[in-house]
Structures are given as structure tokens and as C-alpha cells.
Amino acid sequence: MLKLKLHWQVLLAMVIGCFFGVILKSFDSTMNIKPIYQMITLFGTIFVRLLKMVMIPLIFSSIILGVSSIGSGKRVGRIGIKTLLYYLCTSLLAIITGLILSNLIQPGIGANIVANVSFDPSKIQTPSSTLDILIRMIPTNPFQALASGDMLGVIFFAIFFGIVLNMVSDDNSRLLKNIIESIFSVIMKITQIIISLAPIGVVGLMTKTVYTSGFG
């Protein structure tokens, strides 16, 4: 049997999920399809939870290894400045492209959008300044940031940890690097296993989407 590449498996899974969604919707009024629906959509829920499970340890360990492998603090600073300039340039390009396309295409014109009365924009927490954003990046408890999924806090602590890792004695840093590298290798293997399950997860997610919302 010809083994399909992962992206083709995912596309095929989307089609199968749409098919299941339509079939279940058509039989919804004539028979009890709830057990079948729950069983299929369970795969999607499990897949999403597996992705969330591996996200924090993968990011945390990879950033520490990446920063610690750069070397001295001066080199980290130079790469940091280049990264910031690259980020600003690409963000500016993305904003300009978005503005041009939105004015040319004008998406949403003529659409009948029902306002969500339960949504209150005044309750959205927004930073008062750029300095406030920088302060919020520093976690008061890095373990709490890891547990709660505070990405800015996790990234800041991982970068800081990786920089300081090169400042301690070689024996201690080598030991820690070996431990973190071993953890990273295991996490990468876990990630590969989870990604290989993507087609099954996509079937569940697409089935749920088509069944509940249709193709609109």
C-alpha cells in the first residue's frame, strides 16, 4: 500500500471528517447518533489536548538549548538585536499587506453579522503602555508560568536561563545542558508521535465542525 505523506493524510482526513459530519447530520433526526458522534469527536479533543500538553515543555527546553548554544552574552545581544529588527520589518510588511488587501478586497461587505450581545469590549484587559508589557513578561513565579501556560513568562525565563547557563562553571553547565538536551530529545519524540496522529484528530475536529456549523 502506498504510504501518503502527512499533509496528504491531513487533507484526506478533512474530507473524511466532512463526510462523517454530513452523514451524522442527515441521520440526526431519524436515529440516535450521539454515541457515534461522541466517539468520533473524542479523537479531535484528545489530539488538541495532546498538542497543548507538549507545547510548553517543547518551547521551554528548545529555547534554553538554543540560547545556551549561542555562546557569550555579547553574541546573544547581537543576535537579539538582529531578531528584533527582523521581527519589526516583517511585522511592518504584514501590516502594510493586510491594509492594502483589506482596502482592495473589502472583506465582510454585505455580510449580515449578528452582534454578540454577551461580549463586552470594555472588559478586555489591555496594557497601559509598552513598559507594562515588558513588566508582564517577567514572571513572579516561573513554575506558575509553566503551569498556567503564560507564554511570555515562559519564553522570558527560558531565554534568561539559557544566557546564565553559559555564565556558570563548565561542569555545572555541562550537566544541566545534558539533562535539558535529553529532555528535549524525549519531548521531540513525543511531538513526532502526536503529529503522526494528526489525521485521526483532524477527522474528529472536522466532523464536529461540519455537524455543528455546517459548511457556512
Side-chain angles (χ1 to χ4, degrees):
M1 180 179 178
L2 181 64
K3 183 175 177 60
L4 295 175
K5 292 185 177 180
L6 182 62
H7 61 277
W8 291 117
Q9 293 181 29
V10 172
L11 288 173
L12 181 61
M14 291 178 66
V15 175
I16 295 173
C18 292
F19 175 76
F20 283 166
V22 171
I23 294 298
L24 292 176
K25 190 70 174 178
S26 62
F27 285 100
D28 190 18
S29 58
T30 58
M31 59 184 295
N32 183 19
I33 52 89
K34 187 175 181 180
I36 302 175
Y37 170 77
Q38 290 178 339
M39 183 182 67
I40 296 175
T41 56
L42 178 64
F43 294 121
T45 303
I46 292 175
F47 177 67
V48 172
R49 291 185 70 90
L50 286 172
L51 287 177
K52 291 180 179 179
M53 175 191 73
V54 79
M55 181 175 61
I56 294 297
L58 178 64
I59 292 174
F60 184 69
S61 58
S62 62
I63 289 178
I64 292 177
L65 284 179
V67 173
S68 62
S69 64
I70 292 174
S72 63
K74 291 182 179 180
R75 191 177 177 190
V76 172
R78 288 196 298 268
I79 294 177
I81 293 173
K82 291 179 181 178
T83 304
L84 179 62
L85 290 175
Y86 177 80
Y87 170 75
L88 291 175
C89 292
T90 53
S91 298
L92 180 62
L93 180 62
I95 292 171
I96 293 174
T97 304
L99 289 173
I100 293 174
L101 290 176
S102 61
N103 281 280
L104 289 176
I105 303 174
Q106 295 183 345
I109 297 297
N112 185 18
I113 301 175
V114 180
N116 187 358
V117 294
S118 62
F119 174 71
D120 186 4
S122 63
K123 294 182 179 180
I124 298 178
Q125 293 184 353
T126 56
S128 57
S129 63
T130 306
L131 183 61
D132 186 36
I133 297 176
L134 295 175
I135 293 174
R136 287 168 56 183
M137 285 177 59
I138 305 174
T140 55
N141 186 341
F143 297 103
Q144 183 181 6
L146 287 167
S148 62
D150 180 10
M151 293 305 301
L152 284 178
V154 170
I155 292 173
F156 178 87
F157 182 74
I159 293 174
F160 200 10
F161 193 96
I163 293 173
V164 177
L165 192 57
N166 288 324
M167 298 180 181
V168 298
S169 63
D170 291 338
D171 294 336
N172 292 330
S173 64
R174 192 180 303 111
L175 176 62
L176 275 174
K177 285 180 181 179
N178 289 336
I179 294 174
I180 296 173
E181 189 171 355
S182 299
I183 293 174
F184 176 72
S185 299
V186 174
I187 295 298
M188 279 299 297
K189 189 62 179 177
I190 293 174
T191 304
Q192 291 174 4
I193 294 173
I194 294 173
I195 294 302
S196 67
L197 300 175
I200 301 175
V202 169
V203 169
L205 294 172
M206 287 302 299
T207 300
K208 182 178 180 180
T209 302
V210 174
Y211 178 80
T212 55
S213 304
F215 291 101

